[in-house]
Amino acid sequence: MKKIMMLSPSVPDPRMLNRVRALREHYRIVFYYWDRLNESIEPDMRGVERIYIRKKGQSKGMRLKTLIGYGGFILQGIRLLIHERPHIIHAFRYEGLMTAILYRFWCDRSVKIVYEIADLPSAIFPRGKGLFKKILAKTSAMKERRWIKKCSLLVFTSPGFYEFYYKKFASSRPKVYQENLVGPGILDGYQAHPRDFNPLVIGYFGNMRYLNTIKTLLDAVEGEPGLRVELAGFTQNERKLYRLLKKYKQASYHGIFPSGGLRKYYSMVDVIYCAYDTEDKNALVLMPNKFYEAIELGLPLIVSRGTYLAKRTEKEGVGYAIDESDSDELRRLLLSLKEEDFERIQKAAEEARDKYRVEEHDPRLLAAYREHVDGD
């Protein structure tokens, strides 16, 4: 049985665990990841033969300390690859791909590389301006284009990534779409929140990478007694978040939720908020897990207008698109929601649900491995 070594510069999330589950009966799996944020989360890694965790160099944000930490992650990853000698490397994110490519160049030209793209790389599409960022982006893009030529398979979590960027230079590479579907047991134990509109509760659970859109939500709710906000998840700027929350009385922040804690928080809310900052190109094309969670739970989803996510949300009829900077528009939408709106969206979610069953999508990944990696 061939061995896969998975590389991730972050704690494995449910998407990565879906990959493990899809492949573990057909391959031996070893996993190396970096607990960069010191999350102290223990993911369910059943089916993994060995787990290597890097805890050195924890840092938040893209500071010099973080960049040095990435270097440590890559070097340790190469050492572990030399020790494990896998047949296949499944690389998550740009840093995982860099590790795989360096190992292939220095140590084993026969190793096969699978590159999974769940975001546009921040090194290539940085937020903000500046000469250094422009040079880094151009250099990183050139490197990634060369590296992709060495990959046996590309895995995209959103067709938007391919259509927006990778189609320009990676159309000849084998690819498979594996979206951020809800894995088995993730939402087990969920209990629908009593919807009496007193108050209507809106929730955002996950990585709070765009605090400006969180502020839009807080502004929309503040002063309206019939509305409330529940928040949970990681943010790179906790101090800024806490300073922000001090100004609002109708919101609660529950911190980083533990593995398996998602069901608890969704049981608190009536509406899922997923509006991202469209100034970030990544936000225009990504497909976050909240879309699939909303369908699984039958809850309305609020997203940013003009995004690939909005297109899919409106197509399935499971939510609403707004201007993520307009708190007045959001407030009007929330106050306009009636029981018949929830019933309509719940019905639409039930009709869409079968298309997004993880057990129906997992075989696609295995088939792509068999065709393009094993037989490469």
Side-chain angles (χ1 to χ4, degrees), residues 187-255:
L187 296 174
D188 285 357
Y190 164 76
Q191 295 181 337
H193 183 255
R195 193 166 56 245
D196 55 10
F197 297 89
N198 189 30
L200 183 73
V201 185
I202 305 94
Y204 182 101
F205 308 126
N207 186 350
M208 284 182 277
R209 64 179 83 181
Y210 306 111
L211 291 185
N212 56 329
T213 66
I214 298 296
K215 183 178 184 300
T216 299
L217 174 61
L218 298 173
D219 286 338
V221 166
E222 191 68 14
E224 291 292 345
L227 301 174
R228 180 165 181 80
V229 173
E230 301 289 347
L231 305 170
F234 166 76
T235 176
Q236 289 189 350
N237 197 331
E238 287 185 16
R239 291 182 182 178
K240 186 175 180 180
L241 175 63
Y242 282 117
R243 286 198 303 268
L244 181 65
L245 289 172
K246 285 181 180 179
K247 303 176 184 178
Y248 300 93
K249 298 179 180 179
Q250 292 167 234
S252 298
Y253 174 56
H254 302 276

Side-chain angles (χ1 to χ4, degrees), residues 23-246:
L23 299 169
R24 65 190 178 191
E25 293 184 7
H26 305 275
Y27 299 88
R28 297 164 56 204
I29 297 178
V30 177
F31 211 118
Y32 165 54
Y33 69 88
W34 182 21
D35 187 2
R36 182 170 75 86
L37 306 171
N38 196 21
E39 296 180 53
S40 300
I41 294 174
E42 296 184 5
D44 182 359
M45 301 289 275
R46 281 176 291 182
V48 176
E49 192 172 292
R50 273 180 301 284
I51 304 168
Y52 299 101
I53 306 173
R54 178 177 177 82
K55 288 187 173 290
K56 295 180 181 179
Q58 284 101 341
S59 181
K60 298 176 182 178
M62 287 305 293
R63 297 177 290 188
L64 178 60
K65 182 180 177 182
T66 305
L67 296 176
I68 294 172
Y70 276 123
F73 164 80
I74 291 167
L75 290 175
Q76 184 176 348
I78 293 171
R79 288 195 295 268
L80 291 171
L81 285 164
I82 292 171
H83 173 71
E84 290 288 345
R85 305 294 294 186
H87 303 88
I88 303 164
I89 302 172
H90 191 119
F92 297 101
R93 291 178 46 175
Y94 181 87
E95 299 79 14
L97 176 61
M98 181 184 292
T99 307
I101 289 291
L102 290 175
Y103 168 75
R104 185 182 187 276
F105 179 76
W106 287 335
C107 305
D108 184 1
R109 297 293 179 93
S110 68
V111 72
K112 306 300 173 55
I113 298 175
V114 177
Y115 179 30
E116 179 155 341
I117 299 158
D119 286 293
L120 295 177
S122 58
I124 300 174
F125 294 92
R127 301 196 71 191
K129 300 179 180 179
L131 180 60
F132 174 74
K133 286 187 175 181
K134 288 182 179 179
I135 295 172
L136 178 63
K138 188 173 182 178
T139 303
S140 299
M142 290 173 60
K143 288 180 177 179
E144 188 193 40
R145 290 187 181 205
R146 289 201 304 267
W147 295 343
I148 280 178
K149 293 178 181 178
K150 306 297 183 183
C151 295
S152 298
L153 177 66
L154 303 179
V155 180
F156 292 97
T157 62
S158 168
F161 296 136
Y162 179 75
E163 294 297 331
F164 177 76
Y165 179 63
Y166 289 94
K167 182 180 180 179
K168 300 171 186 176
F169 59 89
S171 59
S172 64
R173 306 311 302 160
K175 66 181 182 298
V176 62
Y177 295 116
Q178 290 285 287
E179 300 187 37
N180 294 316
L181 305 179
V182 179
I186 295 296
L187 296 174
D188 285 357
Y190 164 76
Q191 295 181 337
H193 183 255
R195 193 166 56 245
D196 55 10
F197 297 89
N198 189 30
L200 183 73
V201 185
I202 305 94
Y204 182 101
F205 308 126
N207 186 350
M208 284 182 277
R209 64 179 83 181
Y210 306 111
L211 291 185
N212 56 329
T213 66
I214 298 296
K215 183 178 184 300
T216 299
L217 174 61
L218 298 173
D219 286 338
V221 166
E222 191 68 14
E224 291 292 345
L227 301 174
R228 180 165 181 80
V229 173
E230 301 289 347
L231 305 170
F234 166 76
T235 176
Q236 289 189 350
N237 197 331
E238 287 185 16
R239 291 182 182 178
K240 186 175 180 180
L241 175 63
Y242 282 117
R243 286 198 303 268
L244 181 65
L245 289 172
K246 285 181 180 179

